[in-house]
mmCIF file of all heavy atoms in Angstrom:
data_model
loop_
_atom_site.group_PDB
_atom_site.id
_atom_site.type_symbol
_atom_site.label_atom_id
_atom_site.label_comp_id
_atom_site.label_asym_id
_atom_site.label_seq_id
_atom_site.Cartn_x
_atom_site.Cartn_y
_atom_site.Cartn_z
ATOM 1 N N PRO A 1 -68.700 6.395 -36.647
ATOM 2 C CA PRO A 1 -67.681 7.369 -37.095
ATOM 3 C C PRO A 1 -66.363 6.995 -36.308
ATOM 4 O O PRO A 1 -66.437 6.518 -35.178
ATOM 5 C CB PRO A 1 -68.190 8.715 -36.714
ATOM 6 C CG PRO A 1 -69.233 8.452 -35.673
ATOM 7 C CD PRO A 1 -69.816 7.084 -35.861
ATOM 8 N N ASP A 2 -65.220 7.380 -36.910
ATOM 9 C CA ASP A 2 -63.898 7.043 -36.291
ATOM 10 C C ASP A 2 -63.782 7.353 -34.819
ATOM 11 O O ASP A 2 -63.296 6.539 -34.076
ATOM 12 C CB ASP A 2 -62.863 7.669 -37.091
ATOM 13 C CG ASP A 2 -62.433 6.863 -38.292
ATOM 14 O OD1 ASP A 2 -62.782 5.655 -38.364
ATOM 15 O OD2 ASP A 2 -61.831 7.431 -39.232
ATOM 16 N N PRO A 3 -64.257 8.544 -34.352
ATOM 17 C CA PRO A 3 -64.031 8.838 -32.889
ATOM 18 C C PRO A 3 -64.736 7.823 -31.954
ATOM 19 O O PRO A 3 -64.337 7.704 -30.786
ATOM 20 C CB PRO A 3 -64.584 10.196 -32.736
ATOM 21 C CG PRO A 3 -64.681 10.789 -34.116
ATOM 22 C CD PRO A 3 -64.832 9.666 -35.076
ATOM 23 N N GLU A 4 -65.732 7.124 -32.459
ATOM 24 C CA GLU A 4 -66.446 6.226 -31.537
ATOM 25 C C GLU A 4 -66.281 4.743 -31.880
ATOM 26 O O GLU A 4 -66.818 3.886 -31.218
ATOM 27 C CB GLU A 4 -67.979 6.528 -31.551
ATOM 28 C CG GLU A 4 -68.378 7.834 -30.849
ATOM 29 C CD GLU A 4 -69.806 7.888 -30.565
ATOM 30 O OE1 GLU A 4 -70.583 7.020 -30.935
ATOM 31 O OE2 GLU A 4 -70.158 8.851 -29.899
ATOM 32 N N ARG A 5 -65.503 4.420 -32.881
ATOM 33 C CA ARG A 5 -65.371 3.053 -33.281
ATOM 34 C C ARG A 5 -64.829 2.179 -32.127
ATOM 35 O O ARG A 5 -65.299 1.064 -31.898
ATOM 36 C CB ARG A 5 -64.485 2.895 -34.449
ATOM 37 C CG ARG A 5 -65.206 3.397 -35.706
ATOM 38 C CD ARG A 5 -64.481 3.077 -36.974
ATOM 39 N NE ARG A 5 -65.316 2.037 -37.469
ATOM 40 C CZ ARG A 5 -65.031 1.372 -38.556
ATOM 41 N NH1 ARG A 5 -63.926 1.530 -39.170
ATOM 42 N NH2 ARG A 5 -65.892 0.427 -39.053
ATOM 43 N N ALA A 6 -63.802 2.662 -31.424
ATOM 44 C CA ALA A 6 -63.176 1.864 -30.381
ATOM 45 C C ALA A 6 -64.184 1.632 -29.212
ATOM 46 O O ALA A 6 -64.127 0.543 -28.591
ATOM 47 C CB ALA A 6 -61.916 2.501 -29.823
ATOM 48 N N LEU A 7 -65.081 2.620 -29.025
ATOM 49 C CA LEU A 7 -66.083 2.480 -27.950
ATOM 50 C C LEU A 7 -66.984 1.262 -28.265
ATOM 51 O O LEU A 7 -67.219 0.385 -27.476
ATOM 52 C CB LEU A 7 -66.940 3.716 -27.841
ATOM 53 C CG LEU A 7 -68.122 3.679 -26.917
ATOM 54 C CD1 LEU A 7 -67.722 3.530 -25.460
ATOM 55 C CD2 LEU A 7 -69.028 4.891 -27.162
ATOM 56 N N TRP A 8 -67.564 1.317 -29.429
ATOM 57 C CA TRP A 8 -68.491 0.225 -29.859
ATOM 58 C C TRP A 8 -67.790 -1.118 -29.952
ATOM 59 O O TRP A 8 -68.338 -2.208 -29.632
ATOM 60 C CB TRP A 8 -69.196 0.602 -31.188
ATOM 61 C CG TRP A 8 -70.113 1.774 -30.960
ATOM 62 C CD1 TRP A 8 -69.861 3.009 -31.322
ATOM 63 C CD2 TRP A 8 -71.396 1.724 -30.331
ATOM 64 N NE1 TRP A 8 -70.981 3.888 -30.879
ATOM 65 C CE2 TRP A 8 -71.855 3.081 -30.309
ATOM 66 C CE3 TRP A 8 -72.101 0.752 -29.708
ATOM 67 C CZ2 TRP A 8 -73.132 3.399 -29.735
ATOM 68 C CZ3 TRP A 8 -73.337 1.085 -29.175
ATOM 69 C CH2 TRP A 8 -73.820 2.381 -29.186
ATOM 70 N N GLN A 9 -66.579 -1.084 -30.474
ATOM 71 C CA GLN A 9 -65.779 -2.344 -30.520
ATOM 72 C C GLN A 9 -65.558 -2.935 -29.132
ATOM 73 O O GLN A 9 -65.711 -4.161 -28.910
ATOM 74 C CB GLN A 9 -64.425 -2.099 -31.206
ATOM 75 C CG GLN A 9 -63.661 -3.383 -31.346
ATOM 76 C CD GLN A 9 -62.312 -3.163 -32.003
ATOM 77 O OE1 GLN A 9 -61.799 -2.016 -32.029
ATOM 78 N NE2 GLN A 9 -61.658 -4.242 -32.435
ATOM 79 N N GLY A 10 -65.168 -2.089 -28.217
ATOM 80 C CA GLY A 10 -64.995 -2.497 -26.877
ATOM 81 C C GLY A 10 -66.254 -3.024 -26.202
ATOM 82 O O GLY A 10 -66.229 -4.076 -25.487
ATOM 83 N N LEU A 11 -67.376 -2.356 -26.450
ATOM 84 C CA LEU A 11 -68.647 -2.872 -25.885
ATOM 85 C C LEU A 11 -68.976 -4.201 -26.483
ATOM 86 O O LEU A 11 -69.406 -5.170 -25.755
ATOM 87 C CB LEU A 11 -69.777 -1.881 -26.209
ATOM 88 C CG LEU A 11 -69.712 -0.528 -25.501
ATOM 89 C CD1 LEU A 11 -70.781 0.415 -26.064
ATOM 90 C CD2 LEU A 11 -69.841 -0.692 -23.993
ATOM 91 N N ALA A 12 -68.799 -4.351 -27.841
ATOM 92 C CA ALA A 12 -68.966 -5.700 -28.425
ATOM 93 C C ALA A 12 -68.087 -6.772 -27.795
ATOM 94 O O ALA A 12 -68.546 -7.901 -27.532
ATOM 95 C CB ALA A 12 -68.768 -5.584 -29.947
ATOM 96 N N GLN A 13 -66.884 -6.394 -27.499
ATOM 97 C CA GLN A 13 -65.894 -7.311 -26.887
ATOM 98 C C GLN A 13 -66.373 -7.723 -25.531
ATOM 99 O O GLN A 13 -66.188 -8.850 -25.039
ATOM 100 C CB GLN A 13 -64.497 -6.782 -26.903
ATOM 101 C CG GLN A 13 -63.879 -6.741 -28.212
ATOM 102 C CD GLN A 13 -62.549 -5.993 -28.286
ATOM 103 O OE1 GLN A 13 -62.384 -4.980 -27.685
ATOM 104 N NE2 GLN A 13 -61.610 -6.549 -29.087
ATOM 105 N N LEU A 14 -66.932 -6.814 -24.762
ATOM 106 C CA LEU A 14 -67.431 -7.128 -23.429
ATOM 107 C C LEU A 14 -68.511 -8.162 -23.510
ATOM 108 O O LEU A 14 -68.604 -9.060 -22.691
ATOM 109 C CB LEU A 14 -67.869 -5.854 -22.693
ATOM 110 C CG LEU A 14 -66.814 -4.807 -22.326
ATOM 111 C CD1 LEU A 14 -67.464 -3.632 -21.573
ATOM 112 C CD2 LEU A 14 -65.704 -5.439 -21.452
ATOM 113 N N ALA A 15 -69.403 -7.981 -24.490
ATOM 114 C CA ALA A 15 -70.512 -8.934 -24.684
ATOM 115 C C ALA A 15 -69.920 -10.287 -25.050
ATOM 116 O O ALA A 15 -70.429 -11.315 -24.595
ATOM 117 C CB ALA A 15 -71.457 -8.434 -25.737
ATOM 118 N N VAL A 16 -68.859 -10.324 -25.918
ATOM 119 C CA VAL A 16 -68.232 -11.621 -26.195
ATOM 120 C C VAL A 16 -67.610 -12.219 -25.013
ATOM 121 O O VAL A 16 -67.670 -13.425 -24.798
ATOM 122 C CB VAL A 16 -67.167 -11.371 -27.375
ATOM 123 C CG1 VAL A 16 -66.341 -12.684 -27.572
ATOM 124 C CG2 VAL A 16 -67.931 -11.043 -28.661
ATOM 125 N N GLY A 17 -66.976 -11.404 -24.190
ATOM 126 C CA GLY A 17 -66.390 -11.905 -22.939
ATOM 127 C C GLY A 17 -67.491 -12.565 -22.092
ATOM 128 O O GLY A 17 -67.216 -13.613 -21.511
ATOM 129 N N LEU A 18 -68.600 -11.962 -21.921
ATOM 130 C CA LEU A 18 -69.665 -12.494 -21.131
ATOM 131 C C LEU A 18 -70.157 -13.864 -21.813
ATOM 132 O O LEU A 18 -70.461 -14.771 -21.132
ATOM 133 C CB LEU A 18 -70.830 -11.516 -20.993
ATOM 134 C CG LEU A 18 -71.959 -11.933 -20.022
ATOM 135 C CD1 LEU A 18 -71.413 -12.161 -18.623
ATOM 136 C CD2 LEU A 18 -73.038 -10.867 -20.042
ATOM 137 N N THR A 19 -70.223 -13.846 -23.102
ATOM 138 C CA THR A 19 -70.599 -15.085 -23.827
ATOM 139 C C THR A 19 -69.608 -16.218 -23.482
ATOM 140 O O THR A 19 -70.054 -17.284 -23.137
ATOM 141 C CB THR A 19 -70.595 -14.836 -25.358
ATOM 142 O OG1 THR A 19 -71.584 -13.828 -25.692
ATOM 143 C CG2 THR A 19 -70.958 -16.025 -26.132
ATOM 144 N N HIS A 20 -68.360 -15.895 -23.518
ATOM 145 C CA HIS A 20 -67.320 -16.958 -23.204
ATOM 146 C C HIS A 20 -67.551 -17.395 -21.757
ATOM 147 O O HIS A 20 -67.430 -18.559 -21.435
ATOM 148 C CB HIS A 20 -65.917 -16.407 -23.414
ATOM 149 C CG HIS A 20 -65.488 -16.396 -24.842
ATOM 150 N ND1 HIS A 20 -65.502 -17.437 -25.659
ATOM 151 C CD2 HIS A 20 -64.898 -15.344 -25.548
ATOM 152 C CE1 HIS A 20 -65.106 -17.099 -26.909
ATOM 153 N NE2 HIS A 20 -64.653 -15.826 -26.832
ATOM 154 N N GLN A 21 -67.692 -16.392 -20.880
ATOM 155 C CA GLN A 21 -67.837 -16.750 -19.433
ATOM 156 C C GLN A 21 -68.990 -17.649 -19.234
ATOM 157 O O GLN A 21 -68.989 -18.617 -18.506
ATOM 158 C CB GLN A 21 -67.973 -15.467 -18.617
ATOM 159 C CG GLN A 21 -67.853 -15.661 -17.143
ATOM 160 C CD GLN A 21 -69.163 -15.695 -16.425
ATOM 161 O OE1 GLN A 21 -70.248 -15.532 -16.990
ATOM 162 N NE2 GLN A 21 -69.075 -15.937 -15.129
ATOM 163 N N ARG A 22 -70.169 -17.343 -19.855
ATOM 164 C CA ARG A 22 -71.358 -18.136 -19.734
ATOM 165 C C ARG A 22 -71.247 -19.542 -20.229
ATOM 166 O O ARG A 22 -71.933 -20.415 -19.849
ATOM 167 C CB ARG A 22 -72.594 -17.395 -20.266
ATOM 168 C CG ARG A 22 -72.958 -16.107 -19.678
ATOM 169 C CD ARG A 22 -73.330 -16.211 -18.235
ATOM 170 N NE ARG A 22 -74.145 -15.152 -17.646
ATOM 171 C CZ ARG A 22 -73.782 -14.331 -16.711
ATOM 172 N NH1 ARG A 22 -72.620 -14.439 -16.169
ATOM 173 N NH2 ARG A 22 -74.626 -13.412 -16.310
ATOM 174 N N ARG A 23 -70.372 -19.664 -21.246
ATOM 175 C CA ARG A 23 -70.120 -21.004 -21.896
ATOM 176 C C ARG A 23 -69.017 -21.792 -21.232
ATOM 177 O O ARG A 23 -68.599 -22.808 -21.764
ATOM 178 C CB ARG A 23 -69.837 -20.766 -23.343
ATOM 179 C CG ARG A 23 -71.081 -20.281 -24.178
ATOM 180 C CD ARG A 23 -70.777 -20.057 -25.615
ATOM 181 N NE ARG A 23 -71.870 -19.590 -26.330
ATOM 182 C CZ ARG A 23 -71.918 -19.163 -27.607
ATOM 183 N NH1 ARG A 23 -70.716 -19.106 -28.251
ATOM 184 N NH2 ARG A 23 -72.994 -18.730 -28.147
ATOM 185 N N GLY A 24 -68.478 -21.178 -20.200
ATOM 186 C CA GLY A 24 -67.381 -21.934 -19.452
ATOM 187 C C GLY A 24 -65.998 -21.728 -19.953
ATOM 188 O O GLY A 24 -65.084 -22.508 -19.543
ATOM 189 N N ASN A 25 -65.829 -20.830 -20.891
ATOM 190 C CA ASN A 25 -64.398 -20.584 -21.443
ATOM 191 C C ASN A 25 -63.784 -19.480 -20.630
ATOM 192 O O ASN A 25 -63.782 -18.285 -21.040
ATOM 193 C CB ASN A 25 -64.533 -20.208 -22.864
ATOM 194 C CG ASN A 25 -63.205 -19.898 -23.506
ATOM 195 O OD1 ASN A 25 -62.150 -19.928 -22.899
ATOM 196 N ND2 ASN A 25 -63.197 -19.643 -24.854
ATOM 197 N N ALA A 26 -63.212 -19.816 -19.445
ATOM 198 C CA ALA A 26 -62.675 -18.843 -18.607
ATOM 199 C C ALA A 26 -61.518 -17.997 -19.208
ATOM 200 O O ALA A 26 -61.461 -16.807 -19.140
ATOM 201 C CB ALA A 26 -62.137 -19.477 -17.257
ATOM 202 N N ARG A 27 -60.640 -18.676 -19.881
ATOM 203 C CA ARG A 27 -59.455 -18.049 -20.502
ATOM 204 C C ARG A 27 -59.967 -17.002 -21.550
ATOM 205 O O ARG A 27 -59.541 -15.866 -21.596
ATOM 206 C CB ARG A 27 -58.535 -19.047 -21.118
ATOM 207 C CG ARG A 27 -57.421 -18.418 -21.918
ATOM 208 C CD ARG A 27 -56.552 -19.411 -22.617
ATOM 209 N NE ARG A 27 -55.230 -19.555 -21.872
ATOM 210 C CZ ARG A 27 -54.492 -20.542 -21.877
ATOM 211 N NH1 ARG A 27 -54.794 -21.605 -22.602
ATOM 212 N NH2 ARG A 27 -53.340 -20.444 -21.280
ATOM 213 N N GLY A 28 -60.839 -17.420 -22.431
ATOM 214 C CA GLY A 28 -61.368 -16.543 -23.448
ATOM 215 C C GLY A 28 -62.192 -15.377 -22.886
ATOM 216 O O GLY A 28 -62.032 -14.254 -23.283
ATOM 217 N N ALA A 29 -62.882 -15.664 -21.811
ATOM 218 C CA ALA A 29 -63.649 -14.643 -21.123
ATOM 219 C C ALA A 29 -62.744 -13.504 -20.578
ATOM 220 O O ALA A 29 -62.958 -12.339 -20.826
ATOM 221 C CB ALA A 29 -64.494 -15.191 -19.994
ATOM 222 N N ALA A 30 -61.704 -13.994 -19.850
ATOM 223 C CA ALA A 30 -60.726 -12.978 -19.313
ATOM 224 C C ALA A 30 -60.049 -12.204 -20.370
ATOM 225 O O ALA A 30 -59.951 -10.963 -20.247
ATOM 226 C CB ALA A 30 -59.691 -13.714 -18.370
ATOM 227 N N SER A 31 -59.545 -12.863 -21.370
ATOM 228 C CA SER A 31 -58.823 -12.173 -22.400
ATOM 229 C C SER A 31 -59.562 -11.132 -23.165
ATOM 230 O O SER A 31 -59.236 -9.967 -23.293
ATOM 231 C CB SER A 31 -58.275 -13.285 -23.396
ATOM 232 O OG SER A 31 -57.704 -12.620 -24.510
ATOM 233 N N VAL A 32 -60.758 -11.480 -23.685
ATOM 234 C CA VAL A 32 -61.526 -10.588 -24.555
ATOM 235 C C VAL A 32 -62.173 -9.501 -23.646
ATOM 236 O O VAL A 32 -62.344 -8.344 -24.047
ATOM 237 C CB VAL A 32 -62.532 -11.328 -25.413
ATOM 238 C CG1 VAL A 32 -63.719 -11.842 -24.612
ATOM 239 C CG2 VAL A 32 -62.967 -10.462 -26.594
ATOM 240 N N THR A 33 -62.443 -9.808 -22.382
ATOM 241 C CA THR A 33 -63.037 -8.759 -21.485
ATOM 242 C C THR A 33 -61.981 -7.730 -21.174
ATOM 243 O O THR A 33 -62.328 -6.510 -21.186
ATOM 244 C CB THR A 33 -63.561 -9.486 -20.247
ATOM 245 O OG1 THR A 33 -64.562 -10.402 -20.598
ATOM 246 C CG2 THR A 33 -64.129 -8.430 -19.219
ATOM 247 N N ARG A 34 -60.767 -8.121 -20.925
ATOM 248 C CA ARG A 34 -59.701 -7.196 -20.755
ATOM 249 C C ARG A 34 -59.509 -6.264 -21.925
ATOM 250 O O ARG A 34 -59.338 -5.038 -21.809
ATOM 251 C CB ARG A 34 -58.349 -7.847 -20.423
ATOM 252 C CG ARG A 34 -58.289 -8.385 -19.023
ATOM 253 C CD ARG A 34 -56.889 -8.834 -18.635
ATOM 254 N NE ARG A 34 -56.916 -9.546 -17.411
ATOM 255 C CZ ARG A 34 -56.915 -10.905 -17.244
ATOM 256 N NH1 ARG A 34 -56.777 -11.651 -18.299
ATOM 257 N NH2 ARG A 34 -56.975 -11.435 -16.049
ATOM 258 N N ARG A 35 -59.526 -6.865 -23.143
ATOM 259 C CA ARG A 35 -59.395 -6.011 -24.367
ATOM 260 C C ARG A 35 -60.528 -5.041 -24.524
ATOM 261 O O ARG A 35 -60.372 -3.878 -24.876
ATOM 262 C CB ARG A 35 -59.303 -6.942 -25.596
ATOM 263 C CG ARG A 35 -57.942 -7.567 -25.815
ATOM 264 C CD ARG A 35 -57.723 -8.020 -27.285
ATOM 265 N NE ARG A 35 -58.865 -8.816 -27.819
ATOM 266 C CZ ARG A 35 -59.036 -10.135 -27.728
ATOM 267 N NH1 ARG A 35 -58.136 -10.834 -27.025
ATOM 268 N NH2 ARG A 35 -60.087 -10.735 -28.240
ATOM 269 N N GLY A 36 -61.710 -5.516 -24.206
ATOM 270 C CA GLY A 36 -62.908 -4.531 -24.298
ATOM 271 C C GLY A 36 -62.816 -3.474 -23.308
ATOM 272 O O GLY A 36 -63.121 -2.330 -23.656
ATOM 273 N N ALA A 37 -62.452 -3.773 -22.166
ATOM 274 C CA ALA A 37 -62.302 -2.746 -21.112
ATOM 275 C C ALA A 37 -61.183 -1.679 -21.478
ATOM 276 O O ALA A 37 -61.418 -0.487 -21.354
ATOM 277 C CB ALA A 37 -61.963 -3.284 -19.778
ATOM 278 N N ALA A 38 -60.080 -2.212 -22.043
ATOM 279 C CA ALA A 38 -59.054 -1.298 -22.483
ATOM 280 C C ALA A 38 -59.530 -0.408 -23.599
ATOM 281 O O ALA A 38 -59.167 0.833 -23.647
ATOM 282 C CB ALA A 38 -57.807 -2.053 -22.917
ATOM 283 N N ALA A 39 -60.338 -0.908 -24.437
ATOM 284 C CA ALA A 39 -60.865 -0.056 -25.590
ATOM 285 C C ALA A 39 -61.823 0.991 -25.124
ATOM 286 O O ALA A 39 -61.801 2.124 -25.724
ATOM 287 C CB ALA A 39 -61.572 -1.017 -26.581
ATOM 288 N N ILE A 40 -62.699 0.743 -24.134
ATOM 289 C CA ILE A 40 -63.666 1.729 -23.706
ATOM 290 C C ILE A 40 -63.144 2.725 -22.677
ATOM 291 O O ILE A 40 -63.700 3.788 -22.465
ATOM 292 C CB ILE A 40 -64.952 1.119 -23.280
ATOM 293 C CG1 ILE A 40 -64.844 0.359 -21.953
ATOM 294 C CG2 ILE A 40 -65.526 0.238 -24.386
ATOM 295 C CD1 ILE A 40 -66.079 -0.120 -21.380
ATOM 296 N N GLU A 41 -62.024 2.307 -21.908
ATOM 297 C CA GLU A 41 -61.551 3.100 -20.830
ATOM 298 C C GLU A 41 -61.335 4.572 -21.105
ATOM 299 O O GLU A 41 -61.677 5.510 -20.332
ATOM 300 C CB GLU A 41 -60.338 2.468 -20.216
ATOM 301 C CG GLU A 41 -60.052 2.827 -18.820
ATOM 302 C CD GLU A 41 -59.014 1.933 -18.211
ATOM 303 O OE1 GLU A 41 -58.222 1.243 -18.927
ATOM 304 O OE2 GLU A 41 -58.997 1.812 -16.962
ATOM 305 N N ARG A 42 -60.865 4.866 -22.306
ATOM 306 C CA ARG A 42 -60.528 6.227 -22.688
ATOM 307 C C ARG A 42 -61.804 7.090 -22.824
ATOM 308 O O ARG A 42 -61.629 8.321 -22.914
ATOM 309 C CB ARG A 42 -59.764 6.257 -23.985
ATOM 310 C CG ARG A 42 -60.656 5.860 -25.171
ATOM 311 C CD ARG A 42 -59.821 5.762 -26.437
ATOM 312 N NE ARG A 42 -59.332 4.372 -26.489
ATOM 313 C CZ ARG A 42 -58.937 3.786 -27.575
ATOM 314 N NH1 ARG A 42 -58.865 4.408 -28.740
ATOM 315 N NH2 ARG A 42 -58.509 2.532 -27.577
ATOM 316 N N TYR A 43 -62.992 6.502 -22.804
ATOM 317 C CA TYR A 43 -64.262 7.226 -22.969
ATOM 318 C C TYR A 43 -64.861 7.552 -21.627
ATOM 319 O O TYR A 43 -65.982 8.129 -21.549
ATOM 320 C CB TYR A 43 -65.254 6.450 -23.794
ATOM 321 C CG TYR A 43 -64.800 6.245 -25.201
ATOM 322 C CD1 TYR A 43 -64.131 5.069 -25.582
ATOM 323 C CD2 TYR A 43 -65.054 7.205 -26.192
ATOM 324 C CE1 TYR A 43 -63.673 4.890 -26.893
ATOM 325 C CE2 TYR A 43 -64.580 7.055 -27.541
ATOM 326 C CZ TYR A 43 -63.930 5.813 -27.811
ATOM 327 O OH TYR A 43 -63.568 5.614 -29.172
ATOM 328 N N ALA A 44 -64.228 7.186 -20.519
ATOM 329 C CA ALA A 44 -64.854 7.303 -19.153
ATOM 330 C C ALA A 44 -65.182 8.723 -18.816
ATOM 331 O O ALA A 44 -66.321 9.002 -18.247
ATOM 332 C CB ALA A 44 -63.892 6.730 -18.066
ATOM 333 N N ALA A 45 -64.335 9.675 -19.165
ATOM 334 C CA ALA A 45 -64.618 11.061 -18.775
ATOM 335 C C ALA A 45 -65.806 11.610 -19.640
ATOM 336 O O ALA A 45 -66.520 12.532 -19.144
ATOM 337 C CB ALA A 45 -63.414 11.941 -18.954
#
């Protein structure tokens, strides 16, 4: 549902960031991981 879409998108992006990191793509890992963190941060509380 709309209120949680950014949460799940961000979690998926964190997994992609880890995928990039494990495959040696440092630039991709940093970029997508930052986007994922920004997406989920609003759900911290």
